[in-house]
Amino acid sequence: MAELMANSGRCTYFFLYDGTKVQGEGDPTREGICYFYPEQTPVDQQELLCGQLAGVGRCVSELSSSPVRVLRLRHSKFAIKMEDDFFWALGCAMDFPTVSMCDRLDQLIKLFCFYNGPVRQSYQTNSRETLALCWSRYLFYLQAGATELHHIFSCLRTIDSTHIDPLLLLKAALILQACQRCPLVLAGCILFRGRVVSTQMPPCLTVRVMAHETQTYNKDERLNGMSSSFPLSSAVTSTTVHLTLSELQDLRSTTVDRESRPHSTPSQGSRPRRTRLSRTLSDTPSTESTPDLEPEPPGRPMRLDAPLSPGLSRGAEQRDATPTNDPLLSPASPRFPEISPLTNQKGPRRGGQEEEDEEDGPLEKSRYYSFHSPDGNTSQTEFQGEAPPPTDASPLGNPPPAGRRAPEREGYPEGRAASGGSGGDILPGAGVKDRTVVPMTLYQHRVKGLLLALLVEPHLQRDTEAMEEVYHSSLASLNGLEAHLRTVAPGAPGLQGPYTFAHYDCVQNTLTTNVSGRAGGDQDHSFVRATSLLHTHFCNSDALQEAIIRSARTAVYATRSVAQETYFLQHGGALRNSGVPNHQDTAFTLPSKARHRLLKHGVSLL
Amino acid sequence: MKCLLIASESAEVLFYWTDPEFRQNVQDQYGASQEEGQRPPAFEDSLNTLFAPIIISCSTMVDRLGDSYACFTTENQHNYVLHQFDECLYIAVNGDGQECEDDLRRKIYVMKKMIEVLFGMVNLSSNLLRKELRPQDTEQRTGLWKHLQGLLETYSRLRENDQSFLVEAVERLIHPTLCEQCIEFLERRLLPALNSSSERNGEEVLHSFILVHTKLLAFYSSRNTSTLSPSDLLALIVMTQSMYPSNTDQEDPGPEDVESVSVSGLEMFYTPQPSPTNRSSSGSERTAREDTPMFEFVDPDIQIAEDSLITLEVSPPDPLAPTRVFLEVSLKDGLYPMMPHSMYCRPLWPGITLVLLTKIPNSSVAMSVYSYLEAFAKLEKRLSEGQEGPAAARGQPTVHDLRSKLDKFIKALGPCDIQVPYSDIQVPYSDIQVPYSDIQTSQLQNVWSEFKKRAFTRGGPGFTRELIPWCKSMKTQLCGVYKQCFLNGTTRGADAPQRLSPALQELAQAMVQEKLMDWKDFLLVKSKRNITMVSYLEDFPGLVHFICVDRSSGQMIAPSLNITERSTSELGGGPLAQFIRGKVWGLVRTARQYLQKGYSTVTLRDGDFYFCYFLWFENETGYKLDEVDLPVLPDDSPPIGVLARDYYRKLLRYYSKTHAGEVVKCYELLTVHLGVIPTEYILQHCRQLASKLWEPSRNPLL
């Protein structure tokens, strides 16, 4: 049973087929196969699948004048992407939710483009073998390790905050803020052994950055030959990555906000935080609780996603304090709908800005200006140089800016496409922005298991002064953080109880659950099955808020809001029932039980 | 943008139906590629060209991968569902968002069901079925396809608008006294009158029922007759509706309408028997029928000649000619699918129809054919599983048993009434009909003696794999016999077509008309407002709608949900009712999705509403039985429902395994409440509804 759980999220086939290579009657299909997984598949089988699926895909898309998205056979199913004569197909087991399967394919393609640039172009400049290695690595990365629940929600893996002193998380956030004092740094994240400790980036970018971390952590640091050592230390590397214009704009717009913000704004709030900051950075974190450090609203205990949340909650506090200045609420930034996770970034960043205002404001600003105009030029020229872009990962007309529900969900299913398109609709030319990629640099500073990854403007490498500043400002704190994280016992299973639950944060794209990946019992299996059904249902129905489904053995309760989805199953007590409507049926007590039980996991369903 | 296509493995179009948008779309695609001045290709050809790559790829996948396409979805939410029945590939397309994957799959299965009802066991031979679905003669083909298109459109309309076709259960008119009277009338007066008449030509009326629109007023089956399965009954209602569509958009008829209605009814009553040779296509036949002069007496010779030309026409142009339908019969010794019956539909008044189902004289042949087909199929299976020699010859019945029986059967069949040459695999099919009398049986005899030579001769190959093609061949031959006996059965020899005599049919019609004369206006109104929510509002505050289904009997109860422009229910007309309708339809769809995965209870808070779905089992005394794990079905399993495949019958059988010796009943309840009602009240309501609805005394309107 456990095996089944682990495997059903695994992809069965993945291939990329280039239609331009097979146009004449005599062209063998194999010419068009750029990559095929599993690689040991016999070539004629590869040809059969590629040829038939691509052919049928083309036929259907001509009939409907729209690319095929999902192709299902009796015993397997495929997420399809058709773009610029390329044909991608990702096959999964039948019981894996179709929504998640499509998400994963999009993720995979975007991941490829993030590190290699547009697909057509990278196939022109690199050999198939090199790129095949990339595909297999990304594929492995996307399905490695995590439980099936993680696959269903395509979520980020975070460190288990229940075993970690909250101060460490705060410390990590502060390191990132400190780095952002350098205006060439757009956003960053801190990862520890393949899990997120703290991030300032939208989840879809964090996932991609993590891919590289996993590689370098697992293997040689210079695997794909794209890294180049910084003069500072061998621990620091950098890689060229490619962001779409809209993704870049999202990251940069926060920089602009920082600049345009009135300097005096949060002054009264900054004082206590400053003391907290110094204490955090210098004191040895102790396990004793620090009541004055309660960053979360009262009654809301620390959550598993806490590494990501201090910013969020602080952002919320500040929003309360200075509502008119918050870019979320001001009409100046209409691009970000409801619950933009920019709060997520803005909080820390604002903190950083306070820092800089008080400590080295003038210096900061002058540097900012000095860099700002060249930056504009650079991106301009790059834009022109790359147009018309041969390909990019997101043709659906919309960037996943910060905080789409799941990183790459647009376009599926119906309702979602419409809502997902809003960002693009508002900004004219968003389609072009999506298809145009801009090279940026991923700066990585590794301290054993810990990695600081920053998305920086490419010319940071030439700016030795700025480089040193970033390096030295974070070095000591990183060492300290690493030392502390290392001592934390690695992931003991979450708090167990007579129930199973999963709580998915759509904004931060994180999952809190007490289902452990390996020891999947019968109960866990039926929970996962119900969850995947309900998740699909939530994705397909906008109005659905709450559901209870019950079979003879299990009853699962699910509820969702704009920001979260929660699933709950109560163990024990055989559900002796006839199935006839009965208000004493235990299934209908699930909502109150869930509300009650999940409080101690930091999940509030009120 | 909708389309349904049936294609053979060689990508030949066996049937298609499209809506105007799809047609336009196809023509646009082809119009663009056409040269100036050239005529655009025939629509069927364009369709063929467009779908051919998919069809061919489908068979390639089956051959080489053992897997075939089930469904495509495009980014603009067009859905394609594919399903292969034997060698026929069904493709259903929707591009306007009105039908989801499940709806399309259901449509495919319903189409298949209709073809089974119309062609019976010919379905078991792909080769024969292909020829039936695509007659060589263009006119015949057009006629047949029009008929099938009409059925499909009728079904789609009913599924969209009629709650009983939404949940696929029959809705009865709730008026106990009248229903009882009518049943008694059918039992005591109508059926005896018909079955004792000498004009019935050997047919025996087994089932009779009266429909008011799609709702059942009375149903009576004569004693010792197998029950009519809910699936077949629903299919027959679709056929009746297709023949005599009830204008659902019409407001309840006012007095003046009634006047004109009764006049037309009388006209119909006095209409003389039209010529059986009227071969106009079904679309225009009704008008043609009224205009053309009728001949009571036709020169027998002319009739033979003409009859032989229309042997393949399944949809009789003659309103008094029966429709051949193939229905399931369950007897003591087993279940016989696709047994031939004749169906007589007599419109009493617009919207009210009398339907008679008769057993035809030689229907026992069908039973024999079926048992032989089954025997050969079993033998083939054993052989292909690798059993050889005596092991394969065993089984029930034994092959030797089969041999003697089949010998007798063929002898009895003799040169009797089979006149059309059927060409087997070796001889190319020919449409020309030569009036030899025994070619058909001789083909069967040839194959059978060849089979015997191989199987039974000492020193012959015996029961080995080599016999498999001969098993197949025997099956084809048997299907051919069946086809000759029952599909062309209405035009045998020089006799008048096999049917109840026109006078007898008219007598039946007149009897029922007389019986219901005073009730007809009431019935037409009642069918629109069978039960109304008003009667439940006091007891169940906050309840918006409910549907309760008894799956054991295949019947449902639901307040009427009138959604047409002019009629209003207490929900009001227009958008609000339409909105509720959308919610109810969506809920049924959702409930089925979960049921398919084994969940029998579903509650949903959706917008301002709270939905509940329950499925449970009871024994005969109403004692609620424990739940068992329901089967978890794969995504492309037949749709959950009754009409196409009776899921609930399987479910009941599955459940009965653990409750041997007990009569198990299965019920479903769906409710829609306002979301502001506290959950415990909602559940109480559901409970009360569940216990009350099937107790006539306590239901306010039952």
Side-chain angles (χ1 to χ4, degrees):
Chain A
M1 194 61 83
E3 202 130 288
L4 200 96
M5 282 178 70
N7 284 339
S8 73
R10 204 157 284 275
C11 97
T12 48
Y13 287 110
F14 170 72
F15 63 81
L16 169 60
Y17 180 78
D18 183 354
T20 56
K21 296 281 192 299
V22 189
Q23 282 174 333
E25 280 290 314
D27 295 340
T29 312
R30 67 195 66 184
E31 287 299 306
I33 305 176
C34 296
Y35 176 68
F36 197 100
Y37 168 90
E39 283 160 38
Q40 65 274 19
T41 314
V43 177
D44 56 338
Q45 171 108 352
Q46 293 187 15
E47 285 193 325
L48 175 71
L49 269 176
C50 290
Q52 296 300 324
L53 296 197
V56 157
R58 205 160 98 194
C59 182
V60 171
S61 62
E62 270 170 19
L63 263 167
S64 286
S65 12
S66 166
V68 176
R69 185 69 181 139
V70 181
L71 192 157
R72 240 183 44 217
L73 302 169
R74 306 256 157 256
H75 308 300
S76 58
K77 58 183 177 184
F78 292 87
I80 304 289
K81 181 90 174 175
M82 298 168 73
E83 196 174 275
D84 293 327
D85 286 322
F86 279 117
F87 183 92
W88 285 268
L90 176 81
C92 283
M94 288 305 279
D95 53 352
F96 190 64
T98 308
V99 188
S100 316
M101 177 176 76
C102 293
D103 277 352
R104 188 187 290 174
L105 177 61
D106 287 347
Q107 245 182 16
L108 187 59
I109 297 171
K110 287 192 177 170
L111 189 56
F112 181 88
C113 296
F114 185 69
Y115 288 109
N116 301 289
V119 181
R120 178 69 62 198
Q121 197 179 311
S122 50
Y123 269 93
Q124 277 158 359
T125 51
N126 292 294
S127 73
R128 275 192 187 182
E129 289 69 32
T130 319
L131 295 175
L133 204 63
C134 294
W135 284 116
S136 71
R137 227 166 24 220
Y138 303 142
L139 199 59
F140 176 80
Y141 159 69
L142 282 184
Q143 47 186 3
T147 64
E148 192 181 350
L149 275 178
H150 282 85
H151 288 314
I152 291 171
F153 295 105
S154 334
C155 54
L156 287 175
R157 299 174 67 204
T158 53
I159 54 164
D160 187 354
S161 64
T162 48
H163 296 271
I164 287 187
D165 190 316
L167 286 176
L168 287 179
L169 304 175
L170 193 57
K171 184 169 176 173
L174 287 171
I175 293 172
L176 291 177
Q177 286 166 24
C179 292
Q180 275 188 320
R181 279 186 224 158
C182 169
L184 295 178
V185 174
L186 293 174
C189 66
I190 293 182
L191 312 169
F192 184 72
R193 292 181 180 162
R195 290 169 181 270
V196 181
V197 180
S198 184
T199 182
Q200 295 174 315
M201 295 181 241
C204 59
L205 281 182
T206 314
V207 170
R208 292 180 222 167
V209 169
M210 282 175 78
H212 196 260
E213 191 269 343
T214 319
Q215 287 164 37
T216 50
Y217 177 62
N218 290 337
K219 297 174 190 171
D220 178 19
E221 287 183 12
R222 302 241 199 118
L223 244 180
N224 56 5
M226 290 165 109
S227 316
S228 65
S229 247
F230 278 71
L232 289 167
S233 154
S234 64
V236 175
T237 56
S238 78
T239 307
T240 305
V241 296
H242 304 261
L243 293 177
T244 65
L245 264 188
S246 51
E247 283 165 349
L248 190 61
Q249 211 159 30
D250 290 339
L251 291 175
R252 275 191 185 143
S253 63
T254 55
T255 320
V256 176
D257 283 346
R258 166 167 67 172
E259 169 50 32
S260 62
R261 177 171 302 278
H263 289 222
S264 58
T265 316
S267 55
Q268 81 275 57
S270 68
R271 196 45 57 184
R273 199 167 296 122
R274 216 176 112 69
T275 57
R276 201 190 301 171
L277 173 127
S278 61
R279 194 184 144 178
T280 317
L281 288 176
S282 53
D283 290 6
T284 314
S286 57
T287 42
E288 66 182 90
S289 69
T290 47
D292 58 323
L293 289 189
E294 195 68 55
E296 304 256 350
R300 208 167 168 220
M302 208 58 163
R303 305 162 15 160
L304 177 56
D305 51 28
L308 309 172
S309 68
L312 178 64
S313 47
R314 205 180 312 159
E317 281 168 26
Q318 288 201 349
R319 191 164 27 184
D320 292 342
T322 58
T324 45
N325 285 322
D326 195 300
L328 274 178
L329 300 180
S330 70
S333 60
R335 294 208 51 218
F336 302 105
E338 331 82 42
I339 35 118
S340 164
L342 277 183
T343 39
N344 196 6
Q345 299 158 12
K346 214 138 283 170
R349 189 141 324 155
R350 217 171 287 151
Q353 187 214 334
E354 290 150 19
E355 253 11 275
E356 116 206 348
D357 287 345
E358 285 154 31
E359 289 167 18
D360 45 11
L363 169 70
E364 164 71 22
K365 235 197 289 179
S366 66
R367 198 183 294 148
Y368 180 76
Y369 286 124
S370 71
F371 113 86
H372 194 256
S373 55
D375 161 57
N377 291 338
T378 333
S379 69
Q380 200 69 23
T381 47
E382 275 155 6
F383 181 96
Q384 284 158 356
E386 300 227 347
T391 183
D392 184 75
S394 165
L396 295 177
N398 181 36
R404 290 277 167 256
R405 302 200 50 235
E408 278 102 9
R409 182 148 298 153
E410 312 87 281
Y412 189 90
E414 193 175 14
R416 218 137 289 280
S419 66
S422 58
D425 293 343
I426 294 167
L427 266 190
V432 181
K433 288 196 171 87
D434 263 2
R435 297 174 65 88
T436 311
V437 291
V438 180
M440 297 297 284
T441 298
L442 183 66
Y443 164 100
Q444 290 167 301
H445 183 175
R446 175 172 291 287
V447 181
K448 293 176 189 148
L450 190 77
L451 183 87
L452 168 70
L454 301 170
L455 279 174
V456 299
E457 301 281 356
H459 49 273
L460 178 74
Q461 296 182 55
R462 296 190 292 274
D463 192 339
T464 329
E465 195 192 340
M467 278 280 289
E468 280 178 6
E469 159 98 23
V470 169
Y471 178 75
H472 291 296
S473 69
S474 56
L475 183 58
S477 332
L478 283 177
N479 280 328
L481 185 61
E482 196 275 336
H484 288 303
L485 285 174
R486 199 169 4 126
T487 57
V488 175
L495 202 52
Q496 294 294 330
Y499 51 87
T500 309
F501 81 99
H503 175 77
Y504 171 61
D505 185 317
C506 318
V507 178
Q508 303 183 1
N509 204 22
T510 56
L511 184 73
T512 317
T513 177
N514 64 354
V515 179
S516 57
R518 292 146 203 50
D522 199 18
Q523 205 62 282
D524 280 355
H525 180 64
S526 47
F527 177 73
V528 171
R529 209 164 56 85
T531 302
S532 78
L533 275 177
L534 286 162
H535 175 61
T536 308
H537 194 180
F538 278 139
C539 287
N540 292 333
S541 157
D542 289 330
L544 183 66
Q545 299 147 28
E546 210 180 279
I548 298 170
I549 57 173
R550 205 179 70 107
S551 63
R553 282 191 205 171
T554 48
V556 174
Y557 166 69
T559 177
R560 74 122 172 240
S561 66
V562 250
Q564 59 188 40
E565 288 174 24
T566 308
Y567 303 85
F568 182 82
L569 175 145
Q570 177 77 37
H571 293 180
L575 296 150
R576 270 282 155 238
N577 195 297
S578 60
V580 78
N582 179 359
H583 59 284
Q584 285 166 342
D585 192 331
T586 46
F588 303 117
T589 61
L590 283 178
S592 66
K593 279 204 183 104
R595 242 169 259 141
H596 177 70
R597 304 265 195 196
L598 296 187
L599 267 181
K600 68 167 164 281
H601 295 276
V603 176
S604 166
L605 295 179
L606 297 173
Chain B
M1 219 185 89
K2 306 183 181 80
C3 168
L4 189 134
L5 177 82
I6 307 179
S8 71
E9 275 181 330
S10 52
E12 188 184 25
V13 175
L14 298 182
F15 168 73
Y16 73 85
W17 169 85
T18 61
D19 68 349
E21 289 82 38
F22 192 90
R23 203 184 177 93
Q24 192 57 47
N25 186 38
V26 169
Q27 275 162 355
D28 288 350
Q29 286 192 18
Y30 269 82
S33 63
Q34 280 301 304
E35 306 252 329
E36 278 292 311
Q38 258 190 322
R39 254 163 48 92
F43 181 65
E44 190 194 319
D45 294 339
S46 324
L47 210 58
N48 196 3
T49 320
L50 279 175
F51 280 99
I54 302 179
I55 298 163
I56 290 165
S57 175
C58 211
S59 46
T60 311
M61 292 295 273
V62 175
D63 290 346
R64 296 195 46 195
L65 215 62
D67 205 347
S68 65
Y69 302 116
C71 152
F72 308 117
T73 311
T74 62
E75 281 177 10
N76 59 357
Q77 299 303 314
H78 286 205
N79 276 317
Y80 292 69
V81 172
L82 299 90
H83 196 93
Q84 186 137 14
F85 291 103
D86 296 322
E87 284 164 30
C88 296
L89 177 67
Y90 289 58
I91 304 177
V93 184
N94 181 283
D96 53 19
Q98 288 171 8
E99 295 164 301
C100 68
E101 200 192 311
D102 179 68
D103 296 330
L104 292 178
R105 186 164 298 116
R106 193 174 297 277
K107 210 173 183 178
I108 286 177
Y109 273 86
V110 167
M111 195 65 221
K112 171 72 178 163
K113 167 79 185 181
M114 288 301 170
I115 289 175
E116 276 174 7
V117 169
L118 290 176
F119 297 101
M121 276 180 235
V122 170
N123 277 278
L124 301 179
S125 159
S126 314
N127 207 17
L128 285 181
L129 182 66
R130 216 170 53 224
K131 287 165 193 157
E132 284 296 320
L133 283 177
R134 193 187 165 86
Q136 300 262 306
D137 179 72
T138 322
E139 203 180 327
Q140 272 180 28
R141 186 160 68 226
T142 319
L144 172 63
W145 285 5
K146 272 223 171 84
H147 180 51
L148 291 175
Q149 284 162 356
L151 289 177
L152 194 61
E153 273 165 12
T154 305
Y155 163 71
S156 303
R157 174 170 61 80
L158 292 176
R159 202 200 66 83
E160 278 301 304
N161 299 311
D162 203 305
Q163 293 183 80
S164 70
F165 278 86
L166 170 69
V167 297
E168 300 187 0
V170 179
E171 186 171 359
R172 278 185 177 279
L173 276 188
I174 310 279
H175 192 295
T177 339
L178 182 60
C179 289
E180 208 169 302
Q181 278 179 30
C182 288
I183 293 170
E184 204 176 284
F185 172 79
L186 294 176
E187 180 189 358
R188 303 261 166 86
R189 306 232 353 248
L190 186 68
L191 260 58
L194 297 177
N195 284 338
S196 61
S197 162
S198 58
E199 289 180 71
R200 62 190 171 101
N201 289 334
E203 299 199 5
E204 184 192 347
V205 182
L206 299 179
H207 309 278
S208 56
F209 54 93
I210 303 170
L211 288 174
V212 184
H213 295 303
T214 55
K215 298 185 177 68
L216 200 59
L217 170 65
F219 183 100
Y220 178 73
S221 303
S222 51
R223 281 177 218 293
N224 303 325
T225 309
S226 137
T227 54
L228 192 62
S229 73
S231 161
D232 285 342
L233 182 53
L234 286 167
L236 294 178
I237 296 178
V238 173
M239 290 175 73
T240 315
Q241 279 285 311
S242 174
M243 257 182 264
Y244 301 103
S246 52
N247 197 352
T248 44
D249 289 342
Q250 223 164 36
E251 187 56 48
D252 311 331
E256 64 277 26
D257 291 336
V258 173
E259 214 53 50
S260 64
V261 160
S262 55
V263 169
S264 71
L266 284 175
E267 263 174 5
M268 217 167 269
F269 176 58
Y270 289 117
T271 301
Q273 178 202 3
S275 160
T277 56
N278 179 352
R279 299 191 53 218
S280 59
S281 58
S282 60
S284 57
E285 76 193 30
R286 232 161 286 128
T287 47
R289 197 186 305 146
E290 278 150 31
D291 299 339
T292 47
M294 309 303 172
F295 305 105
E296 280 288 352
F297 305 102
V298 180
D299 184 317
D301 292 328
I302 297 173
Q303 180 141 10
I304 302 164
E306 286 182 350
D307 280 342
S308 62
L309 284 174
I310 59 160
T311 42
L312 283 171
E313 186 123 50
V314 275
S315 148
D318 173 2
L320 291 173
T323 309
R324 178 56 39 82
V325 289
F326 296 92
L327 308 173
E328 183 191 273
V329 167
S330 60
L331 295 177
K332 266 175 254 122
D333 58 336
L335 203 66
Y336 292 91
M338 302 186 270
M339 288 298 132
H341 290 74
S342 281
M343 174 186 176
Y344 299 83
C345 262
R346 303 303 307 150
L348 303 174
W349 295 280
I352 308 183
T353 321
L354 169 71
V355 181
L356 302 172
L357 283 172
T358 64
K359 183 172 136 185
I360 55 174
N362 55 348
S363 64
S364 60
V365 173
M367 248 172 237
S368 312
V369 170
Y370 177 72
S371 51
Y372 299 133
L373 279 172
E374 210 182 17
F376 279 108
K378 277 182 186 162
L379 177 64
E380 187 186 328
K381 186 162 171 271
R382 284 197 298 271
L383 290 173
S384 59
E385 277 167 2
Q387 296 184 34
E388 296 202 339
R394 252 176 259 133
Q396 205 42 255
T398 64
V399 173
H400 299 280
D401 214 14
L402 179 73
R403 179 185 179 177
S404 59
K405 274 189 187 162
L406 193 53
D407 276 335
K408 273 184 215 148
F409 173 72
I410 291 175
K411 197 178 270 176
L413 213 56
C416 65
D417 46 5
I418 290 148
Q419 55 149 318
V420 184
Y422 170 68
S423 326
D424 75 344
I425 320 127
Q426 288 103 39
V427 185
Y429 179 81
S430 128
D431 204 37
I432 308 150
Q433 323 232 317
V434 191
Y436 295 155
S437 60
D438 56 352
I439 289 204
Q440 173 56 56
T441 28
S442 77
Q443 285 292 345
L444 174 64
Q445 265 163 0
N446 292 347
V447 178
W448 176 231
S449 46
E450 193 64 30
F451 182 94
K452 284 192 287 192
K453 202 158 77 193
R454 281 157 197 273
F456 302 110
T457 317
R458 209 177 289 257
F463 289 93
T464 59
R465 264 172 193 281
E466 285 162 45
L467 212 55
I468 292 179
W470 292 98
C471 284
K472 286 192 203 302
S473 201
M474 274 309 290
K475 287 199 298 187
T476 310
Q477 290 306 325
L478 285 165
C479 285
V481 167
Y482 175 93
K483 181 190 118 147
Q484 294 309 313
C485 289
F486 303 111
L487 273 181
N488 307 330
T490 46
T491 57
R492 283 177 310 128
D495 306 332
Q498 168 63 51
R499 64 176 175 192
L500 298 177
S501 80
L504 196 60
Q505 291 184 42
E506 276 153 19
L507 172 75
Q509 186 176 3
M511 280 171 76
V512 185
Q513 268 175 336
E514 189 198 338
K515 168 79 191 163
L516 290 178
M517 185 54 94
D518 297 338
W519 290 98
K520 68 172 196 293
D521 299 337
F522 168 77
L523 287 174
L524 289 171
V525 175
K526 179 70 178 165
S527 77
K528 295 261 166 76
R529 293 155 186 248
N530 199 12
I531 58 173
T532 53
M533 259 322 287
V534 177
S535 14
Y536 293 88
L537 287 182
E538 209 155 292
D539 289 340
F540 304 99
L543 181 65
V544 178
H545 191 70
F546 69 86
I547 302 178
C548 196
V549 194
D550 175 357
R551 286 300 178 188
S552 335
S553 67
Q555 294 181 11
M556 56 89 79
I557 294 182
S560 50
L561 203 56
N562 289 332
I563 44 152
T564 49
E565 292 271 316
R566 287 168 62 204
S567 57
T568 47
S569 61
E570 57 275 18
L571 282 172
L576 182 59
Q578 195 65 39
F579 179 75
I580 300 287
R581 190 206 78 99
K583 288 287 178 196
V584 171
W585 259 245
L587 170 62
V588 171
R589 195 176 287 170
T590 308
R592 280 172 177 157
Q593 275 167 13
Y594 286 110
L595 184 58
Q596 189 181 42
K597 297 297 172 194
Y599 299 95
S600 61
T601 301
V602 179
T603 67
L604 307 166
R605 184 179 295 283
D606 183 297
D608 296 330
F609 295 97
Y610 196 88
F611 300 119
C612 299
Y613 168 78
F614 298 94
L615 177 140
W616 72 96
F617 298 94
E618 288 180 10
N619 70 8
E620 221 169 0
T621 57
Y623 178 77
K624 313 282 183 288
L625 299 171
D626 276 347
E627 234 178 340
V628 294
D629 286 322
L630 301 182
V632 179
L633 305 173
D635 288 348
D636 65 327
S637 50
I640 294 217
V642 173
L643 176 53
R645 295 280 166 94
D646 198 338
Y647 167 82
Y648 297 94
R649 187 159 74 177
K650 275 195 200 137
L651 194 64
L652 278 166
R653 219 174 283 157
Y654 173 84
Y655 192 87
S656 301
K657 276 185 206 154
T658 50
H659 289 79
E662 210 169 1
V663 177
V664 180
K665 299 189 147 210
C666 174
Y667 293 93
E668 281 181 303
L669 175 70
L670 296 111
T671 61
V672 180
H673 277 84
L674 293 177
V676 290
I677 310 291
T679 324
E680 55 263 41
Y681 290 112
I682 293 179
L683 293 167
Q684 254 167 30
H685 285 177
C686 292
R687 194 174 162 201
Q688 284 166 8
L689 277 173
S691 57
K692 266 185 187 175
L693 275 174
W694 300 106
E695 293 171 25
S697 57
R698 280 157 71 185
N699 186 306
L701 278 172
L702 270 175

